[in-house]
Amino acid sequence: MYLEIKNVTLLYDRAMVLNEVGLRVNEGELVSLVGPNGAGKTSLLRAVSGLVKWEKEITKGTTLGKISITGSVLFNGEEMTELRAHQIARRGLILCPERGRPFREMTVMENLQAGALLCKDKGVAADTIEMVYSLFPILKDRTNQLSGSLSGGERTMLSIGRSLMSQAKFLLIDQPSTGLAPKIKEDLFQRINEVHGLGITILLVEQDVSFAFDLASRNYVMSRGKIIAEGTSSELLDDELIRKTYLGL
Ligand SMILES: Nc1ncnc2c1ncn2[C@@H]1O[C@H](COP(=O)(O)OP(=O)(O)OP(=O)(O)O)[C@@H](O)[C@H]1O
Ligand SMILES: [Mg+2]
């Protein structure tokens, strides 16, 4: 399950949000993508998941402006830029958006079951719910609670749990730590590590560079729509210019 992004350029009107971006995540890796606000990280994840194309269709001819996107996204060698968002998700390449987006008026259990709609085998779905509950015991405690009333951290866990229900093989996780207290953050990062331990490949976008670099085997640094550095955590931290200018450490 590898992901190879090549030469992805994205323009909103004439603003270049992604400028010939390339990166690769190999089978079984946990790779981080870090960079300042507005660098283009979320835009890249959305493009990979087929959501930018979808936007392109609904904004056509409206005042929202023109979107132009070029480049190539290979998932296990298959071109994703030709596919629609649901087809990409069906292949196991799944986005966990920032702050999660559960169906608010559904309970935790119903949200997890909705994630399993793609899963035809009910036995597998039941086993996966058990697995999600053992990874995130707090979700089990909240099983009948409406998702709209979950805390930020719980919502993020539910979002990851829901992707596991849809048999994710590769997770694109967008800033899971946003708004979380340090202790909860630490716990969540441990859970993400456990999800990775299950054999799921992960591209983790994160603003908390220290946490991201602790978890990831390799990292990419993005600034103003460009990948400006790549390396192991120690390689990047040893580079004073990168550390001070882009990592804020
Ligand atoms: N739909 C859109 N239309 C126009 N500009 C957009 C759109 N979505 C994002 N942008 C612009 O693209 C740039 C990159 O935004 P993006 O959300 O990808 O950054 P990011 O790296 O995820 O930042 P953050 O760390 O704050 O989440 C920003 O300047 C943003 O204003
Ligand atoms: Mg973002």
Side-chain angles (χ1 to χ4, degrees):
M1 293 293 143
Y2 70 90
L3 179 72
E4 193 171 15
I5 299 173
K6 290 195 273 192
N7 275 325
V8 170
T9 295
L10 168 64
L11 290 107
Y12 285 117
D13 279 326
R14 251 162 274 143
M16 193 174 281
V17 170
L18 299 174
N19 184 354
E20 296 188 357
V21 170
L23 64 80
R24 186 184 164 99
V25 183
N26 296 310
E27 164 102 42
E29 274 192 308
L30 193 168
V31 171
S32 92
L33 172 63
V34 300
N37 289 122
K41 307 178 297 295
T42 298
S43 301
L44 181 65
L45 296 191
R46 287 175 59 77
V48 168
S49 345
L51 295 173
V52 171
K53 271 211 192 83
W54 174 76
E55 267 181 3
K56 185 161 131 186
E57 281 169 21
I58 60 162
T59 57
K60 210 185 278 173
T62 72
T63 52
L64 282 177
K66 194 164 158 276
I67 298 169
S68 139
I69 176 158
T70 53
S72 165
V73 176
L74 295 175
F75 184 51
N76 296 323
E78 188 186 5
E79 184 56 70
M80 294 293 108
T81 57
E82 306 294 331
L83 302 182
R84 300 175 75 87
H86 70 274
Q87 296 171 310
I88 295 173
R90 204 175 270 268
R91 281 158 176 73
L93 178 59
I94 302 203
L95 173 68
C96 298
E98 190 173 10
R99 290 177 167 268
R101 277 187 216 124
F103 300 117
R104 299 175 63 84
E105 62 297 338
M106 283 170 28
T107 65
V108 166
M109 173 62 97
E110 287 163 349
N111 259 295
L112 291 174
Q113 285 165 341
L117 285 179
L118 292 176
C119 182
K120 297 248 157 44
D121 186 330
K122 294 297 161 238
V124 171
D127 289 351
T128 315
I129 287 205
E130 280 317 306
M131 191 245 314
V132 169
Y133 280 161
S134 69
L135 265 174
F136 303 111
I138 191 82
L139 293 182
K140 189 166 190 175
D141 298 343
R142 305 265 185 272
T143 188
N144 294 315
Q145 187 173 325
L146 288 184
S147 303
S149 60
L150 293 176
S151 74
E154 291 162 354
R155 231 169 30 227
T156 304
M157 292 180 206
L158 179 57
S159 160
I160 297 174
R162 201 172 55 180
S163 7
L164 295 176
M165 292 304 297
S166 32
Q167 309 297 306
K169 300 189 176 70
F170 193 122
L171 289 183
L172 305 159
I173 309 182
D174 196 359
Q175 271 168 205
S177 78
T178 301
L180 301 186
K183 241 181 96 88
I184 299 173
K185 215 192 250 191
E186 205 162 310
D187 182 59
L188 182 64
F189 274 80
Q190 257 169 39
R191 305 291 162 198
I192 292 175
N193 208 13
E194 285 172 33
V195 170
H196 178 229
L198 296 171
I200 294 175
T201 309
I202 299 179
L203 176 59
L204 173 70
V205 164
E206 186 46 56
Q207 282 213 323
D208 192 321
V209 175
S210 312
F211 268 112
F213 278 23
D214 263 358
L215 278 188
S217 52
R218 281 191 308 121
N219 315 275
Y220 289 89
V221 183
M222 184 183 251
S223 174
R224 298 177 180 216
K226 266 188 120 50
I227 301 287
I228 52 109
E230 183 218 332
T232 63
S233 306
S234 55
E235 279 165 359
L236 292 174
L237 293 172
D238 283 348
D239 187 322
E240 201 176 324
L241 180 72
I242 288 178
R243 190 162 45 90
K244 290 201 171 136
T245 316
Y246 299 104
L247 306 180
L249 293 172

